Amino acid sequence: MIAASLLWFALASLFLSTQSAAFTCPQRPRPITTLHAAKKQKKRASGGGGGFGGSKTNPSVTPASADIQSLEKQWDNFASITDLEIFPPGDPEDEDYRHFIVADVFVRIGPEDSDSNPGTGWFRTGKLVAEDGIDINIAFALQRGLILWTAAAMWPQLSSKGQAAAKLMQVGFMPPSMNMADESEPALDEEESEEVQIPQRVAIKDDVSLKNIGFRPDFNPKGFTYKRRERSAMKTKKSALDEIMDVND
């Protein structure tokens, strides 16, 4: 319990120290249109810090804070943008078509090694969305602190590593799937881990807003119950995410 509390405190401190310098990196020539296409050009997870580290600052863009209120807002955004789908419904040629990109989100402490690094495997944590025109990597950059904070609350395997492990936490992603974790799910095995991509560093533009991106955990972190927009939507339609949740219940 003490170790978990220290890790949460370290994550909050780490988030505050990077809030004024949201990580940024080389912009893709155009936004990713499908993560399955991106998979062909994926950058596989490897040693090192992945998408973490120094960056060009953009003080006009504030990342999502790492707390319950921010989690609920970004979860609301996810439900609103996706309408609880993992792929945009409809025909791209239709006037009312709304494009978005969803990614499966993973977190680990790592990479693992045989020496002093207290690493872990990748734990499935949730799903992230970016509206049309928003680079998926920007969505990760602006919600990184929130994702790490949420993962530490979801997975004792991460929070039990203690304060020193907080700076080693990494975010990764895969193309969107029908899969969702529950509390008993183990970390990805070695073969599955090869499919995890590390978010790239991209320049964050001034016109990006947290309202254009969202994040939902696969299950409620301890002490948190989501009661707002997604639950309301579940009463009016049956979607891919609804079916998954029904199976998991």
Side-chain angles (χ1 to χ4, degrees), residues 56-105:
K56 297 178 181 179
T57 63
N58 187 343
S60 65
V61 181
T62 303
S65 56
D67 54 45
I68 289 177
Q69 292 74 24
S70 183
L71 176 58
E72 186 158 286
K73 288 180 182 178
Q74 295 311 111
W75 200 333
D76 273 350
N77 289 347
F78 183 95
S80 178
I81 294 169
T82 66
D83 199 22
L84 307 186
E85 302 288 350
I86 60 173
F87 296 105
D91 187 338
E93 300 299 321
D94 293 343
E95 291 185 3
D96 59 351
Y97 175 78
R98 295 175 62 247
H99 186 69
F100 57 80
I101 306 168
V102 172
D104 286 4
V105 180

Side-chain angles (χ1 to χ4, degrees), residues 30-47:
R30 57 184 175 181
I32 303 172
T33 56
T34 165
L35 285 174
H36 285 295
K39 185 176 179 181
K40 297 179 182 179
Q41 301 177 3
K42 70 187 176 189
K43 177 182 179 182
R44 295 197 172 191
S46 60

Side-chain angles (χ1 to χ4, degrees), residues 35-178:
L35 285 174
H36 285 295
K39 185 176 179 181
K40 297 179 182 179
Q41 301 177 3
K42 70 187 176 189
K43 177 182 179 182
R44 295 197 172 191
S46 60
F52 301 88
S55 63
K56 297 178 181 179
T57 63
N58 187 343
S60 65
V61 181
T62 303
S65 56
D67 54 45
I68 289 177
Q69 292 74 24
S70 183
L71 176 58
E72 186 158 286
K73 288 180 182 178
Q74 295 311 111
W75 200 333
D76 273 350
N77 289 347
F78 183 95
S80 178
I81 294 169
T82 66
D83 199 22
L84 307 186
E85 302 288 350
I86 60 173
F87 296 105
D91 187 338
E93 300 299 321
D94 293 343
E95 291 185 3
D96 59 351
Y97 175 78
R98 295 175 62 247
H99 186 69
F100 57 80
I101 306 168
V102 172
D104 286 4
V105 180
F106 299 82
V107 173
R108 73 174 177 180
I109 295 172
E112 295 181 89
D113 62 35
S114 58
D115 298 322
S116 59
N117 191 334
T120 69
W122 289 105
F123 286 90
R124 183 179 292 276
T125 299
K127 296 186 185 295
L128 173 146
V129 67
E131 285 190 336
D132 190 22
I134 305 296
D135 192 317
I136 193 75
N137 297 289
I138 291 177
F140 274 104
L142 292 178
Q143 297 178 107
R144 171 183 167 238
L146 175 62
I147 291 170
L148 295 180
W149 180 86
T150 303
M154 293 171 65
W155 297 110
Q157 297 92 326
L158 299 176
S159 59
S160 64
K161 293 293 184 177
Q163 185 176 1
K167 293 182 179 180
L168 302 176
M169 292 183 76
Q170 293 180 312
V171 175
F173 71 96
M174 287 188 188
S177 73
M178 301 286 283

